[in-house]
Amino acid sequence: MKSLYSKRLSKHQKELKQLYFKLYDSYGATPKDFDSLLSMMFERYNERSDRLNNLDQHHKTWYLSRKLVGYTLYVDLFSDTLRKLEKKIPYLQELGITFVHLMPLLQTPEGENDGGYAVEDYLEINPSLGTMDDFEHLIEQFADANIVICIDYVINHTSDTHEWARKALNGDSQYQDMYLMYDDRTIPDQFDQTVPLVLPNKRPSNFTYKEEINKWVYTSFSSFQWDLNFKNPLVFEEMVNILLQLANKGINMIRLDAIPFMWKELHTSCRNLPEVHDLLHLFHLIKEIVCPSLVLLGEAIVEPDEIFKYFGTEERNECSVLYNANLMVNIWNAFATRDVRLLNIDNSKYHIHDQGCWMNYVRCHDDIGWGLNESALESLGVSPYYHKQYLIEFYSNQFPGSFAKGEIYQFNPQNNDARINGTTASLLGLERSYDEHNEYEQYIALRRIFLAHAILFSHRGIPLIYSGDEIATINDQSYRSDDRKNEDGRWVHRPYFDWTRAKKRLTPKTFESIVFNAIKNMITIRKKHSVFDGDVQSTIIINNDISLYSFVKATAKERILFIYNFSEYRKELTSEPYQEFQFSTNMEDLFTGRTIDFNHPSITISPYEVLWLMEKL
Ligand code: GLC
């Protein structure tokens, strides 16, 4: 009988070979290089444990399950070490978490390392967090607790202390070819003309001069993060090899960091180039052969039209899961404007194939960049430029009457662009209302936090909670006096997890208990109902009020109608657009038991109300 491996290989080998040579023929790849790739893949396959082989055979689409509820945390901030994280498993289980994304934990240099996104050794754990054995032990403990695990693979760049970078700095030309290096400014200047800056505030160029070798190194992010040269077939093979070795540790999902940047060509923006899509399809084919249960999560925080291309197509998959940055900005936009029309437009616009799945989030460790669907804004008669200026002011304490308390990040004086930092609770009004002792506003802020999460939990995809949001963590200014952090404002929303506050989840009427229990309840409900499975599409229902967002999802068993009021005003929802769906007369809200009958001409929706109206079929 043919082994599973050879079956999978024969299914994909032809396409793998064609695509490999399409990319690498002109960069000197030989048939020997391809054979070396294949034999490395076979070696990695042979290292897979029985448990992982079983997952590969039977659980390829686990990421589409409604039971998957994610949580992102920094090990050092949450539990100090990997060993101590094991002791926190009951907390995660209490909330209902079944998927944990551990923020970067591979070995980084001491001092500034971009929160772990400058990796020195991809196969070692940061000693301050523990060892590789601790990590593997944690994965087993998670597996026993039915929690799957995701870690970052910082694939676009290494730190300047990585072994390859050190050798390159010693003048070894083979290692210099692993990166993009130039003897003078001629080519860097040409690149800089068309490549936008990621950190305009911090760095005026995409290149860093290294005196030791008298060369300019391509560094999209910080000077200590060197972009890898993916045109070099050796880089490709090495990075695939590391990916597969990480997968063999038992990691279920790997977050591919900053994928749009992976391929560079002169006279382009060096973002989202067609070759990046080829590369990602190659990664997909390789993992389908070696470890099909591994899921690739793409981090592509770019314009909405570009993000969703990273799913590829049904025939030509790239990443199975992608961060839904578009939903995230649309949520923040809807809160600031009390207008859900962008949500309506984009929900209907970006249809993804059945195997694709969004990772839905409100906040994460990064800033909020205003990657709105600009043509949709224009179609609504809104100027994208002025609209962005409004959002920036609204979320950074500059707009009178705003509830938000956020901070400007990376202001670019050339185009007045800026991004925003802050935690969910601070951006949604809890911090300000607390400072002002305004109890009604506190109540309203809690409703906003509930609404934001309800959107995550009801939209198609995996909901991902950012650690601390479940206890309404507010901005933390302590990073300003920490030398390793004070250059980067994103630390305002990356505080140490406050376990004293977390205890208050057990004390009724505290913010912590209100938010924690609301999210926990939402998770319980989500896990019960088939409409929350990842392959169930939704249909938007446009109504009479631009603050009211509604959509319906149905399976053979049940239908749920979701209604959200993105404003602090009581609204009258006209029943008429709902009548064609012939909802039953006693649709019942899964949170409060409130019943709704669309035979009435209109229905009252209270400020920031969330309705999950259920109908058994
Ligand atoms: C991603 C990470 C971000 C990091 C960057 C460079 O965007 O989310 O935190 O700074 O990549 O690795």
Side-chain angles (χ1 to χ4, degrees):
M1 205 182 78
K2 254 185 154 186
S3 81
L4 281 173
Y5 183 83
S6 42
K7 265 196 210 152
R8 302 199 296 243
L9 182 66
S10 53
K11 182 168 171 205
H12 299 294
Q13 185 169 2
K14 192 169 158 221
E15 197 187 354
L16 180 69
K17 189 169 180 181
Q18 270 173 358
L19 191 54
Y20 177 84
F21 283 106
K22 176 182 166 215
L23 264 187
Y24 286 115
D25 207 15
S26 46
Y27 299 105
T30 60
K32 226 172 120 196
D33 292 326
F34 186 67
D35 289 344
S36 142
L37 176 71
L38 287 186
S39 54
M40 177 271 286
M41 286 164 55
F42 188 54
E43 248 176 78
R44 297 288 86 85
Y45 163 76
N46 281 323
E47 287 162 7
R48 281 185 79 71
S49 66
D50 291 346
R51 184 176 80 81
L52 296 178
N53 274 323
N54 183 43
L55 288 178
D56 289 340
Q57 247 178 294
H58 305 294
H59 299 282
K60 266 194 62 181
T61 51
W62 57 268
Y63 61 97
L64 295 174
S65 164
R66 62 184 183 265
K67 302 215 165 118
L68 211 60
V69 177
Y71 190 88
T72 305
L73 62 91
Y74 282 94
V75 177
D76 58 338
L77 302 178
F78 189 72
S79 60
D80 194 28
T81 64
L82 289 166
R83 281 283 168 174
K84 290 189 197 155
L85 181 53
E86 290 180 11
K87 304 225 162 55
K88 304 294 184 196
I89 291 176
Y91 175 80
L92 299 169
Q93 284 181 309
E94 181 187 334
L95 186 59
I97 299 303
T98 51
F99 168 96
V100 172
H101 167 214
L102 299 178
M103 292 296 292
L105 42 63
L106 302 176
Q107 192 172 308
T108 49
E110 299 244 329
E112 230 197 336
N113 55 39
D114 188 17
Y117 284 99
V119 179
E120 183 172 278
D121 188 336
Y122 292 100
L123 297 173
E124 289 295 339
I125 298 290
N126 248 341
S128 58
L129 305 177
T131 62
M132 195 45 96
D133 281 348
D134 294 343
F135 182 50
E136 290 180 50
H137 194 260
L138 174 77
I139 295 177
E140 279 168 25
Q141 301 292 305
F142 271 180
D144 288 348
N146 282 325
I147 296 176
V148 292
I149 189 162
C150 168
I151 71 160
D152 283 85
Y153 186 28
V154 187
I155 194 168
N156 175 67
H157 44 265
T158 73
S159 88
D160 60 358
T161 52
H162 188 282
E163 190 194 345
W164 302 340
R166 287 201 193 142
K167 290 187 173 157
L169 277 177
N170 269 336
D172 186 327
S173 63
Q174 195 194 335
Y175 287 91
Q176 291 182 348
D177 286 346
M178 307 288 270
Y179 300 96
L180 295 141
M181 301 194 166
Y182 304 94
D183 291 337
D184 57 42
R185 282 288 316 180
T186 318
I187 296 180
D189 281 343
Q190 286 180 33
F191 270 116
D192 274 348
Q193 271 171 24
T194 54
V195 182
L197 299 171
V198 180
L199 303 172
N201 231 351
K202 211 166 149 190
R203 309 191 42 244
S205 164
N206 288 292
F207 294 82
T208 301
Y209 179 65
K210 296 310 290 182
E211 219 180 313
E212 299 91 316
I213 44 176
N214 189 24
K215 283 185 193 292
W216 292 87
V217 184
Y218 202 121
T219 52
S220 296
F221 293 86
S222 296
S223 57
F224 53 86
Q225 289 162 302
W226 290 13
D227 288 54
L228 284 162
N229 173 17
F230 268 94
K231 288 183 178 169
N232 180 345
L234 244 161
V235 168
F236 176 74
E237 186 180 330
E238 288 287 351
M239 294 309 278
V240 170
N241 194 354
I242 296 168
L243 176 85
L244 299 177
Q245 290 180 69
L246 289 174
N248 285 352
K249 306 279 179 209
I251 297 159
N252 310 88
M253 190 183 287
I254 289 192
R255 174 189 185 276
L256 298 177
D257 186 60
I259 48 178
F261 297 79
M262 284 169 70
W263 195 276
K264 282 92 177 166
E265 293 292 348
L266 270 179
H267 314 301
T268 72
S269 67
C270 297
R271 307 276 201 278
N272 313 311
L273 297 185
E275 291 83 354
V276 176
H277 291 281
D278 287 343
L279 270 177
L280 289 167
H281 184 50
L282 272 178
F283 278 107
H284 172 80
L285 290 173
I286 291 170
K287 78 100 193 164
E288 282 298 286
I289 298 167
V290 181
C291 46
S293 67
L294 175 74
V295 172
L296 299 179
L297 158 64
E299 192 237 5
I301 311 302
V302 285
E303 312 83 288
D305 282 337
E306 293 298 335
I307 300 179
F308 105 112
K309 291 184 190 155
Y310 287 98
F311 282 119
T313 60
E314 207 130 2
E315 299 73 41
R316 198 178 182 280
N317 270 222
E318 295 180 26
C319 297
S320 302
V321 186
L322 286 174
Y323 281 97
N324 199 348
N326 178 235
L327 176 67
M328 183 271 296
V329 286
N330 282 345
I331 292 174
W332 292 107
N333 176 62
F335 276 120
T337 57
R338 285 78 166 168
D339 178 344
V340 303
R341 286 177 297 170
L342 280 188
L343 280 165
N344 285 339
I345 295 174
D346 287 346
N347 190 319
S348 320
K349 180 170 176 189
Y350 298 111
H351 270 287
I352 52 178
H353 60 77
D354 282 351
Q355 300 299 303
C357 180
W358 288 115
M359 184 68 86
N360 294 324
Y361 64 110
V362 198
R363 284 300 289 118
C364 69
H365 67 292
D366 279 330
D367 46 289
I368 302 173
W370 300 107
L372 295 160
N373 176 350
E374 299 201 351
S375 55
L377 275 176
E378 274 159 0
S379 75
L380 298 172
V382 176
S383 142
Y385 172 82
Y386 288 109
H387 191 69
K388 249 191 224 178
Q389 293 304 305
Y390 164 68
L391 292 172
I392 292 166
E393 289 186 10
F394 186 90
Y395 282 111
S396 64
N397 289 331
Q398 300 176 61
F399 194 83
S402 164
F403 49 75
K405 235 180 160 181
E407 295 178 4
I408 291 271
Y409 184 61
Q410 297 298 322
F411 172 69
N412 183 346
Q414 268 159 13
N415 56 12
N416 290 331
D417 202 4
R419 284 120 66 176
I420 294 292
N421 287 322
T423 67
T424 303
S426 290
L427 294 173
L428 289 183
L430 194 64
E431 186 177 346
R432 181 181 295 283
S433 58
Y434 183 75
D435 290 349
E436 292 170 358
H437 307 288
N438 184 333
E439 278 188 26
Y440 179 71
E441 276 302 319
Q442 287 168 25
Y443 162 76
I444 287 289
L446 292 172
R447 306 255 306 177
R448 284 190 201 103
I449 295 173
F450 182 58
L451 194 162
H453 285 91
I455 299 277
L456 291 194
F457 282 88
S458 54
H459 254 250
R460 183 179 166 201
I462 305 167
L464 184 65
I465 299 168
Y466 182 56
S467 174
D469 276 355
E470 77 281 14
I471 52 165
T473 300
I474 56 168
N475 289 346
D476 173 37
Q477 302 296 344
S478 67
Y479 79 98
R480 293 180 191 271
S481 48
D482 183 336
D483 283 348
R484 289 168 312 140
K485 300 182 175 172
N486 55 15
E487 297 251 310
D488 190 334
R490 290 175 300 175
W491 289 98
V492 78
H493 52 252
R494 299 172 182 174
Y496 283 97
F497 190 86
D498 187 338
W499 286 99
T500 312
R501 281 197 66 207
K503 269 203 191 123
K504 291 202 206 155
R505 73 188 185 280
L506 306 169
T507 311
K509 297 205 177 123
T510 57
F511 296 151
E512 294 80 0
S513 96
I514 294 169
V515 175
F516 187 93
N517 287 309
I519 294 179
K520 181 177 163 183
N521 185 27
M522 219 179 272
I523 294 176
T524 312
I525 294 174
R526 176 181 160 100
K527 287 183 183 170
K528 276 193 205 139
H529 295 280
S530 58
V531 301
F532 294 105
D533 275 325
D535 49 1
V536 181
Q537 309 267 359
S538 58
T539 308
I540 286 283
I541 309 179
I542 309 274
N543 52 52
N544 61 308
D545 195 303
I546 59 167
S547 295
L548 299 177
Y549 181 45
S550 71
F551 56 89
V552 61
K553 286 169 120 182
T555 60
K557 283 200 230 137
E558 58 189 12
R559 232 177 4 167
I560 298 187
L561 170 63
F562 302 89
I563 301 179
Y564 301 106
N565 179 359
F566 268 91
S567 83
E568 59 273 66
Y569 305 109
R570 189 183 306 135
K571 297 280 184 175
E572 288 302 317
L573 176 75
T574 307
S575 293
E576 206 249 340
Y578 296 83
Q579 278 158 358
E580 67 173 275
F581 291 86
Q582 299 185 327
F583 291 116
S584 66
T585 49
N586 58 346
M587 306 273 288
E588 191 176 303
D589 177 33
L590 289 168
F591 296 111
T592 60
R594 176 182 174 190
T595 56
I596 299 262
D597 178 357
F598 284 102
N599 290 317
H600 293 295
S602 76
I603 286 145
T604 304
I605 311 286
S606 57
Y608 295 111
E609 182 157 13
V610 167
L611 291 168
W612 285 8
L613 300 166
M614 154 86 178
E615 181 186 52
K616 279 218 165 73
L617 297 175

